[in-house]
Amino acid sequence: MSSPGADQAAQWFAAQYASAPEGVWHAPGRANLIGEHTDYNDGFVLPFALDRGTFAAAAPHQDAVLELTSRQAAGRGAGAAGRVEIPLDSLAPGSVTGWAAYPAGVVWALREAGYPVPGARVAVDSDLPQGAGLSSSAALECAVALALTELAGLDVARQELAAIARRAENDFVGVPTGIMDQSAALLCQAGHALLLDCRSGEADSVPLNPARSGLTLVIIDTRARHALTESGYGARHIECEEAARALGVRTLREVAGLESLAALTDPVLRRRARHVITENQRVLETAALLRQGQVDGIGRLLNESHASLRDDFEISWPEADVAVDAAVGAGALGARMMGGGFGGSVIALLPQDGAAVHEAVRAAFRGRGWPDPGFLNAPPSSSARRLR
Ligand code: ADP
Ligand code: MG
């Protein structure tokens, strides 16, 4: 089963290396339906795979060398066609910088896990925006991880491969992310979301087929990218740890219920903990509704999630609040900010003809003199696989 994107990646490979790839692999980006800032509190998240992602065209290399090229890196003028050559035997955290650290980190993490992948040539192409909160980094890691293990004839279970790709990002690239992005890229099924228990690592597919209910999921890029994202994210992480400590539990997942929060004297910590506890409940309630096929019932939970992130967790941003209000005012069943906060995207559940919602959000932005928001349809799609 090939695709225009796979064919294009194969052509990009051939143009770079003057030979044909042995295969083309693909890993999707993801959206998170609900469950924000719950992962590092040992809680629940509910991501699903997008119909966009990253292609890795690959072939074995006769030497112990990883040769890399990315059409997107080339487009940014990162040297000759974004080309990088890395000797495998000197791979160590810190030895590779820039975009190449993601695929190089995958090779390093595979070898650390006892999978001695040999040299390879890889050409990367993608139709996923980078840094937009749709997890282009995990798509890159997982496409490369699947390509290299299958090229080498290694059979690595998907859950283990997700852990290896996460390790590449955490320990080689140096970004302290949870397991959600890599799990979504490797474990999601078309027409389903993935209920992930971040404490046990358990992953369950939950039906998510909005089209069957005459609905559609849309991602609204608010175009706001705030420098606060990283520091704000870290601050909330620390507050959650403080709240857990004050309540005498290891993580906020262990808190019995909202009643227990009365023991928190600091009102800020109480609000932070309340978000995490109610958000976990909302994720489970969303999954339960989806299992009954009631996609239209989850709109209310998306709205409540946004209110909680805005008022209790205080990580929303003006463009997100305006997009959510305008969307819901014009007929969206529900909408909420997505991601770490302070910038990025909103996810909204709309009637299939969402033109009125698009127009309302655009008009609200125009009225404030903000740049036009972007709209991306987000049908729940399948996880990483070989395409040709
Ligand atoms: P997100 O995962 O939300 O898109 P990240 O900051 O985690 O944002 O990852 C983006 C980074 O991943 C980019 O800056 C780049 O280094 C790398 N990356 C992702 N996709 C590609 C690609 N197609 N080609 C080269 N680098 C990529
Ligand atoms: Mg990322």
Side-chain angles (χ1 to χ4, degrees):
M1 180 191 50
S2 200
S3 72
D7 296 345
Q8 195 175 300
Q11 283 161 18
W12 171 245
F13 183 104
Q16 291 300 312
Y17 301 125
S19 60
E22 193 164 305
V24 179
W25 287 261
H26 177 266
R30 60 104 191 97
N32 187 20
L33 185 59
I34 194 162
E36 220 62 82
H37 284 262
T38 44
D39 57 349
Y40 55 79
N41 289 300
D42 267 0
F44 299 97
V45 293
L46 195 58
F48 63 92
L50 300 174
D51 63 347
R52 292 174 171 238
T54 298
F55 301 89
H61 198 297
Q62 73 268 22
D63 304 321
V65 166
L66 181 65
E67 269 193 81
L68 297 167
T69 172
S70 153
R71 193 196 286 271
Q72 286 66 46
R76 284 195 300 262
R83 290 228 355 214
V84 187
E85 212 176 306
I86 301 157
L88 296 188
D89 294 329
S90 63
L91 270 185
S95 64
V96 183
T97 54
W99 77 272
Y102 293 87
V106 167
V107 172
W108 172 81
L110 278 167
R111 293 185 147 213
E112 288 277 304
Y115 298 107
V117 287
R121 289 198 169 95
V122 183
V124 171
D125 198 1
S126 181
D127 56 7
L128 202 58
Q130 291 175 29
L134 303 181
S135 202
S136 71
S137 58
L140 174 57
E141 291 150 13
C142 294
V144 169
L146 204 61
L148 296 183
T149 50
E150 290 195 8
L151 266 186
L154 296 165
D155 191 15
V156 187
R158 291 265 170 139
Q159 233 150 353
E160 187 183 0
L161 205 56
I164 288 170
R166 176 197 181 175
R167 183 145 191 240
E169 184 149 349
N170 291 171
D171 297 347
F172 196 91
V173 183
V175 182
T177 53
I179 192 68
M180 169 164 71
D181 298 351
Q182 293 81 8
S183 300
L186 287 166
L187 298 171
C188 280
Q189 296 176 20
H192 290 76
L194 190 73
L195 176 62
L196 262 182
D197 180 338
C198 298
R199 181 169 64 185
S200 68
E202 204 176 307
D204 266 328
S205 277
V206 177
L208 174 60
N209 200 327
R212 202 174 283 162
S213 307
L215 301 172
T216 173
L217 283 162
V218 169
I219 290 159
I220 306 171
D221 184 346
T222 69
R223 308 287 188 208
R225 305 269 185 278
H226 291 310
L228 253 177
T229 302
E230 254 173 58
S231 57
Y233 192 90
R236 292 302 178 275
H237 196 148
I238 289 167
E239 287 166 348
C240 289
E241 286 173 352
E242 278 175 20
R245 207 175 308 120
L247 290 167
V249 290
R250 200 176 56 81
T251 68
L252 290 177
R253 170 74 178 276
E254 320 295 330
V255 178
L258 285 177
E259 323 74 64
S260 320
L261 295 188
L264 278 176
T265 48
D266 181 335
V268 172
L269 292 188
R270 205 182 310 134
R271 287 205 302 278
R272 304 296 188 250
R274 187 167 60 191
H275 164 71
V276 174
I277 291 162
T278 57
E279 185 78 351
N280 276 327
Q281 291 167 349
R282 282 185 290 271
V283 176
L284 295 177
E285 219 182 308
T286 301
L289 284 169
L290 293 178
R291 286 195 170 110
Q292 297 160 16
Q294 294 181 31
V295 183
D296 52 350
I298 71 171
R300 171 182 59 84
L301 294 159
L302 299 182
N303 290 335
E304 288 174 14
S305 172
H306 186 75
S308 177
L309 287 158
R310 182 192 59 209
D311 303 333
D312 275 351
F313 222 60
E314 296 178 278
I315 59 167
S316 184
W317 62 102
E319 290 86 345
D321 294 339
V322 166
V324 165
D325 288 347
V328 172
L333 285 79
R336 66 172 202 86
M337 58 149 283
M338 204 175 73
F342 309 105
S345 301
V346 159
I347 181 166
L349 181 64
L350 314 187
Q352 209 140 47
D353 177 13
V357 174
H358 291 212
E359 192 34 52
V361 176
R362 274 202 200 95
F365 274 50
R366 219 179 295 128
R368 287 167 176 79
W370 294 341
D372 223 23
F375 296 89
L376 191 77
N377 279 330
S381 303
S382 34
S383 64
R385 63 203 188 281
R386 186 175 188 159
L387 289 179
R388 58 176 262 173

